[in-house]
Amino acid sequence: MSEPSPRPTPSPPSSPPLGRVALHAVASGLTPLIPVPFLDDYALFQVREQLVRSLLEERGLRAPNQAVEALAGSSLGRTLGGRLASYLKGMMLLPVKKLFRKVFFVLWVKDCVDVASVSLHHGYLLHHALERGDLDALSLQGDKPQAIHAAIVAACAEVDARPVNQALRRLFASSRLLVAEATRVFLNPRNVGPRAPEPGESAEVKSLADRLLALLWEERGYFSTLEAHYVRHLEAGPAPVLSATSGS
């Protein structure tokens, strides 16, 4: 009697909106590869706002710029690690030592992971908010985008993102784009400006996005918990502001 064949692992469901979330998360995670102060942040905000617009258009919604900026969190700056990495990029005119190179690359990967993680979490929860019907044409004109973004930020603050970030770290550390760009900067320390895209880059970005989409499926329990935190914060509304005389 033959052994029963094992059941195949279910593949992630096809979801164009989640595919866009993954693609934009990868694209935003690659913006630290722009070794020009302020230009990398500008590119990051553009990618985040493009994701917001694409998710809204998927639902037939158009939003004013103020709502798009609120939902994209365009006012968010880089993390401390990201600022340090940017500072180190500006020191490329100094002699490059092996230890410095290793620290620089580790910080660069961390910056990519931090940026991609924020974009992934925020994009995923915005997709969930639209699936729930939390936004419509009328509410996009008011304060609802700010309330949704606040609930997203609060929900993300309550989860332990380390497992997801570790997977993202493996993803970006194996990226040929990141390795090639780091090598370019170190071999040409006097020429760290923008560069022309290399052939095949779009194919690698698509490959990274597909792997990230698979991660969303593998970690669906984590993202279900994230959804629950978001709903709780949105329904609770903003935290009350205590006056200076409260409790006296």
Side-chain angles (χ1 to χ4, degrees):
M1 182 175 181
S2 60
E3 293 288 335
S5 57
R7 292 183 180 179
T9 303
S11 58
S14 175
S15 170
L18 283 182
R20 274 190 282 277
V21 169
L23 185 62
H24 281 78
V26 169
S28 65
L30 293 174
T31 57
L33 298 184
I34 304 173
V36 181
F38 306 112
L39 184 58
D40 54 350
D41 283 332
Y42 174 78
L44 172 60
F45 298 151
Q46 290 296 304
V47 172
R48 285 177 173 168
E49 290 174 11
Q50 286 171 7
L51 174 58
V52 169
R53 287 192 174 93
S54 68
L55 291 176
L56 291 174
E57 288 171 2
E58 179 79 14
R59 302 277 172 172
L61 297 172
R62 295 180 62 86
N65 289 339
Q66 185 177 1
V68 171
E69 291 170 3
L71 291 168
S74 295
S75 61
L76 294 177
R78 264 201 210 291
T79 63
L80 179 59
R83 293 183 183 279
L84 181 56
S86 297
Y87 174 72
L88 290 176
K89 291 173 194 176
M91 296 175 63
M92 287 297 94
L93 296 180
L94 298 177
V96 177
K97 298 181 179 180
K98 184 175 181 181
L99 178 61
F100 176 80
R101 183 184 312 163
K102 182 177 180 180
V103 171
F104 173 80
F105 186 74
V106 169
L107 285 172
W108 210 344
V109 171
K110 183 181 185 304
D111 199 12
C112 290
V113 169
D114 288 344
V115 171
S117 181
V118 171
S119 296
L120 175 64
H121 283 74
H122 286 213
Y124 180 90
L125 285 179
L126 177 57
H127 163 67
H128 180 62
L130 289 168
E131 276 200 325
R132 280 171 37 88
D134 292 338
L135 279 169
D136 55 26
L138 182 60
S139 60
L140 280 168
Q141 308 297 322
D143 296 333
K144 193 65 176 289
Q146 289 87 342
I148 286 179
H149 180 69
I152 288 175
V153 171
C156 292
E158 290 187 344
V159 295
D160 182 0
R162 284 178 295 181
V164 171
N165 289 352
Q166 287 170 3
L168 285 170
R169 187 172 295 108
R170 291 192 295 271
L171 195 71
F172 282 101
S174 65
S175 167
R176 293 191 302 272
L177 282 179
L178 194 148
V179 173
E181 183 63 11
T183 302
R184 181 183 77 89
V185 170
F186 282 115
L187 293 180
N188 301 282
R190 296 181 181 274
N191 182 25
V192 297
R195 47 118 176 115
E198 297 292 335
E201 284 191 5
S202 59
E204 187 189 349
V205 171
K206 177 66 166 57
S207 174
L208 292 172
D210 288 342
R211 289 160 62 189
L212 182 54
L213 188 58
L215 171 66
L216 288 175
W217 176 246
E218 292 169 4
E219 298 290 342
R220 54 194 179 278
Y222 167 88
F223 284 99
S224 294
T225 300
L226 186 67
E227 293 172 4
H229 286 303
Y230 159 77
V231 172
R232 177 168 55 81
H233 283 287
L234 183 66
E235 293 178 348
V241 177
L242 299 179
S243 66
T245 58
S246 295
S248 60

mmCIF file of all heavy atoms in Angstrom, residues 179-202:
data_model
loop_
_atom_site.group_PDB
_atom_site.id
_atom_site.type_symbol
_atom_site.label_atom_id
_atom_site.label_comp_id
_atom_site.label_asym_id
_atom_site.label_seq_id
_atom_site.Cartn_x
_atom_site.Cartn_y
_atom_site.Cartn_z
ATOM 1 N N VAL A 179 23.521 45.364 -3.510
ATOM 2 C CA VAL A 179 24.936 45.017 -3.508
ATOM 3 C C VAL A 179 25.671 45.796 -4.592
ATOM 4 O O VAL A 179 26.763 46.336 -4.362
ATOM 5 C CB VAL A 179 25.122 43.500 -3.716
ATOM 6 C CG1 VAL A 179 26.590 43.162 -3.888
ATOM 7 C CG2 VAL A 179 24.537 42.733 -2.532
ATOM 8 N N ALA A 180 25.086 45.876 -5.797
ATOM 9 C CA ALA A 180 25.734 46.582 -6.897
ATOM 10 C C ALA A 180 25.865 48.068 -6.592
ATOM 11 O O ALA A 180 26.887 48.691 -6.893
ATOM 12 C CB ALA A 180 24.935 46.376 -8.187
ATOM 13 N N GLU A 181 24.826 48.656 -5.970
ATOM 14 C CA GLU A 181 24.883 50.086 -5.666
ATOM 15 C C GLU A 181 25.910 50.382 -4.591
ATOM 16 O O GLU A 181 26.660 51.356 -4.675
ATOM 17 C CB GLU A 181 23.508 50.583 -5.234
ATOM 18 C CG GLU A 181 23.446 52.083 -4.960
ATOM 19 C CD GLU A 181 23.738 52.922 -6.183
ATOM 20 O OE1 GLU A 181 23.795 52.381 -7.303
ATOM 21 O OE2 GLU A 181 23.933 54.145 -6.019
ATOM 22 N N ALA A 182 25.973 49.538 -3.559
ATOM 23 C CA ALA A 182 26.974 49.730 -2.520
ATOM 24 C C ALA A 182 28.383 49.617 -3.098
ATOM 25 O O ALA A 182 29.275 50.399 -2.767
ATOM 26 C CB ALA A 182 26.781 48.705 -1.404
ATOM 27 N N THR A 183 28.577 48.657 -4.002
ATOM 28 C CA THR A 183 29.880 48.499 -4.646
ATOM 29 C C THR A 183 30.221 49.720 -5.483
ATOM 30 O O THR A 183 31.361 50.207 -5.470
ATOM 31 C CB THR A 183 29.871 47.244 -5.542
ATOM 32 O OG1 THR A 183 29.555 46.104 -4.744
ATOM 33 C CG2 THR A 183 31.218 47.039 -6.206
ATOM 34 N N ARG A 184 29.226 50.254 -6.200
ATOM 35 C CA ARG A 184 29.457 51.438 -7.028
ATOM 36 C C ARG A 184 29.910 52.618 -6.185
ATOM 37 O O ARG A 184 30.850 53.333 -6.536
ATOM 38 C CB ARG A 184 28.180 51.806 -7.786
ATOM 39 C CG ARG A 184 28.318 53.025 -8.702
ATOM 40 C CD ARG A 184 26.991 53.368 -9.354
ATOM 41 N NE ARG A 184 26.103 54.053 -8.435
ATOM 42 C CZ ARG A 184 26.073 55.388 -8.288
ATOM 43 N NH1 ARG A 184 26.887 56.153 -8.970
ATOM 44 N NH2 ARG A 184 25.228 55.940 -7.443
ATOM 45 N N VAL A 185 29.242 52.811 -5.052
ATOM 46 C CA VAL A 185 29.584 53.943 -4.192
ATOM 47 C C VAL A 185 31.000 53.802 -3.646
ATOM 48 O O VAL A 185 31.766 54.759 -3.608
ATOM 49 C CB VAL A 185 28.569 54.072 -3.036
ATOM 50 C CG1 VAL A 185 29.037 55.080 -2.010
ATOM 51 C CG2 VAL A 185 27.201 54.469 -3.582
ATOM 52 N N PHE A 186 31.353 52.584 -3.245
ATOM 53 C CA PHE A 186 32.674 52.397 -2.655
ATOM 54 C C PHE A 186 33.793 52.459 -3.691
ATOM 55 O O PHE A 186 34.881 52.922 -3.396
ATOM 56 C CB PHE A 186 32.729 51.075 -1.890
ATOM 57 C CG PHE A 186 32.066 51.148 -0.551
ATOM 58 C CD1 PHE A 186 30.930 50.409 -0.293
ATOM 59 C CD2 PHE A 186 32.554 51.980 0.448
ATOM 60 C CE1 PHE A 186 30.298 50.495 0.941
ATOM 61 C CE2 PHE A 186 31.928 52.067 1.676
ATOM 62 C CZ PHE A 186 30.799 51.318 1.931
ATOM 63 N N LEU A 187 33.519 51.993 -4.894
ATOM 64 C CA LEU A 187 34.552 52.019 -5.927
ATOM 65 C C LEU A 187 34.680 53.393 -6.574
ATOM 66 O O LEU A 187 35.719 53.720 -7.147
ATOM 67 C CB LEU A 187 34.250 50.974 -7.002
ATOM 68 C CG LEU A 187 34.347 49.510 -6.561
ATOM 69 C CD1 LEU A 187 34.024 48.576 -7.727
ATOM 70 C CD2 LEU A 187 35.735 49.200 -6.005
ATOM 71 N N ASN A 188 33.611 54.192 -6.483
ATOM 72 C CA ASN A 188 33.616 55.530 -7.074
ATOM 73 C C ASN A 188 33.165 56.552 -6.039
ATOM 74 O O ASN A 188 32.095 57.152 -6.163
ATOM 75 C CB ASN A 188 32.694 55.578 -8.298
ATOM 76 C CG ASN A 188 33.096 54.582 -9.359
ATOM 77 O OD1 ASN A 188 34.032 54.800 -10.110
ATOM 78 N ND2 ASN A 188 32.367 53.471 -9.415
ATOM 79 N N PRO A 189 33.936 56.751 -4.972
ATOM 80 C CA PRO A 189 33.497 57.614 -3.870
ATOM 81 C C PRO A 189 33.290 59.067 -4.256
ATOM 82 O O PRO A 189 32.625 59.808 -3.533
ATOM 83 C CB PRO A 189 34.631 57.476 -2.846
ATOM 84 C CG PRO A 189 35.817 57.060 -3.641
ATOM 85 C CD PRO A 189 35.282 56.221 -4.743
ATOM 86 N N ARG A 190 33.835 59.497 -5.400
ATOM 87 C CA ARG A 190 33.660 60.885 -5.819
ATOM 88 C C ARG A 190 32.494 61.052 -6.796
ATOM 89 O O ARG A 190 32.265 62.128 -7.325
ATOM 90 C CB ARG A 190 34.956 61.402 -6.459
ATOM 91 C CG ARG A 190 36.116 61.457 -5.490
ATOM 92 C CD ARG A 190 37.376 62.011 -6.157
ATOM 93 N NE ARG A 190 38.476 62.020 -5.215
ATOM 94 C CZ ARG A 190 38.733 62.999 -4.360
ATOM 95 N NH1 ARG A 190 37.949 64.058 -4.329
ATOM 96 N NH2 ARG A 190 39.758 62.928 -3.530
ATOM 97 N N ASN A 191 31.799 59.973 -7.035
ATOM 98 C CA ASN A 191 30.681 60.034 -7.978
ATOM 99 C C ASN A 191 29.505 59.262 -7.404
ATOM 100 O O ASN A 191 29.206 58.146 -7.823
ATOM 101 C CB ASN A 191 31.098 59.446 -9.330
ATOM 102 C CG ASN A 191 29.978 59.544 -10.351
ATOM 103 O OD1 ASN A 191 29.106 60.402 -10.256
ATOM 104 N ND2 ASN A 191 30.006 58.657 -11.345
ATOM 105 N N VAL A 192 28.847 59.854 -6.400
ATOM 106 C CA VAL A 192 27.773 59.150 -5.696
ATOM 107 C C VAL A 192 26.394 59.686 -6.065
ATOM 108 O O VAL A 192 25.435 59.464 -5.363
ATOM 109 C CB VAL A 192 27.962 59.252 -4.165
ATOM 110 C CG1 VAL A 192 29.232 58.572 -3.754
ATOM 111 C CG2 VAL A 192 27.957 60.720 -3.711
ATOM 112 N N GLY A 193 26.305 60.401 -7.169
ATOM 113 C CA GLY A 193 25.017 60.947 -7.569
ATOM 114 C C GLY A 193 24.118 59.895 -8.185
ATOM 115 O O GLY A 193 24.452 58.711 -8.247
ATOM 116 N N PRO A 194 22.931 60.313 -8.683
ATOM 117 C CA PRO A 194 22.009 59.371 -9.323
ATOM 118 C C PRO A 194 22.676 58.703 -10.520
ATOM 119 O O PRO A 194 23.543 59.262 -11.160
ATOM 120 C CB PRO A 194 20.842 60.263 -9.760
ATOM 121 C CG PRO A 194 20.942 61.466 -8.886
ATOM 122 C CD PRO A 194 22.397 61.667 -8.629
ATOM 123 N N ARG A 195 22.258 57.487 -10.820
ATOM 124 C CA ARG A 195 22.835 56.766 -11.930
ATOM 125 C C ARG A 195 21.727 56.199 -12.798
ATOM 126 O O ARG A 195 20.577 56.091 -12.394
ATOM 127 C CB ARG A 195 23.748 55.649 -11.418
ATOM 128 C CG ARG A 195 23.071 54.844 -10.302
ATOM 129 C CD ARG A 195 22.914 53.445 -10.700
ATOM 130 N NE ARG A 195 22.358 52.616 -9.650
ATOM 131 C CZ ARG A 195 21.181 52.044 -9.777
ATOM 132 N NH1 ARG A 195 20.435 52.316 -10.796
ATOM 133 N NH2 ARG A 195 20.739 51.229 -8.845
ATOM 134 N N ALA A 196 22.076 55.866 -14.018
ATOM 135 C CA ALA A 196 21.096 55.308 -14.941
ATOM 136 C C ALA A 196 20.732 53.895 -14.509
ATOM 137 O O ALA A 196 21.598 53.145 -14.063
ATOM 138 C CB ALA A 196 21.666 55.295 -16.358
ATOM 139 N N PRO A 197 19.453 53.510 -14.610
ATOM 140 C CA PRO A 197 19.056 52.144 -14.247
ATOM 141 C C PRO A 197 19.781 51.118 -15.106
ATOM 142 O O PRO A 197 20.014 51.330 -16.294
ATOM 143 C CB PRO A 197 17.547 52.139 -14.523
ATOM 144 C CG PRO A 197 17.145 53.571 -14.514
ATOM 145 C CD PRO A 197 18.316 54.329 -15.023
ATOM 146 N N GLU A 198 20.149 50.023 -14.492
ATOM 147 C CA GLU A 198 20.815 48.941 -15.198
ATOM 148 C C GLU A 198 19.782 48.020 -15.836
ATOM 149 O O GLU A 198 18.658 47.901 -15.350
ATOM 150 C CB GLU A 198 21.687 48.133 -14.227
ATOM 151 C CG GLU A 198 22.823 48.930 -13.594
ATOM 152 C CD GLU A 198 23.886 49.318 -14.587
ATOM 153 O OE1 GLU A 198 24.013 48.614 -15.616
ATOM 154 O OE2 GLU A 198 24.585 50.316 -14.357
ATOM 155 N N PRO A 199 20.159 47.365 -16.958
ATOM 156 C CA PRO A 199 19.231 46.390 -17.577
ATOM 157 C C PRO A 199 18.857 45.290 -16.591
ATOM 158 O O PRO A 199 19.693 44.791 -15.861
ATOM 159 C CB PRO A 199 20.055 45.829 -18.749
ATOM 160 C CG PRO A 199 21.092 46.870 -19.041
ATOM 161 C CD PRO A 199 21.418 47.499 -17.717
ATOM 162 N N GLY A 200 17.604 44.938 -16.580
ATOM 163 C CA GLY A 200 17.150 43.856 -15.708
ATOM 164 C C GLY A 200 16.725 44.291 -14.324
ATOM 165 O O GLY A 200 16.257 43.463 -13.531
ATOM 166 N N GLU A 201 16.864 45.600 -13.986
ATOM 167 C CA GLU A 201 16.486 46.047 -12.641
ATOM 168 C C GLU A 201 14.996 45.870 -12.395
ATOM 169 O O GLU A 201 14.580 45.466 -11.320
ATOM 170 C CB GLU A 201 16.902 47.501 -12.428
ATOM 171 C CG GLU A 201 18.393 47.673 -12.185
ATOM 172 C CD GLU A 201 18.735 49.073 -11.725
ATOM 173 O OE1 GLU A 201 17.804 49.869 -11.507
ATOM 174 O OE2 GLU A 201 19.933 49.361 -11.574
ATOM 175 N N SER A 202 14.176 46.206 -13.389
ATOM 176 C CA SER A 202 12.725 46.094 -13.196
ATOM 177 C C SER A 202 12.332 44.640 -12.945
ATOM 178 O O SER A 202 11.419 44.365 -12.163
ATOM 179 C CB SER A 202 11.979 46.643 -14.410
ATOM 180 O OG SER A 202 12.348 45.942 -15.589
#
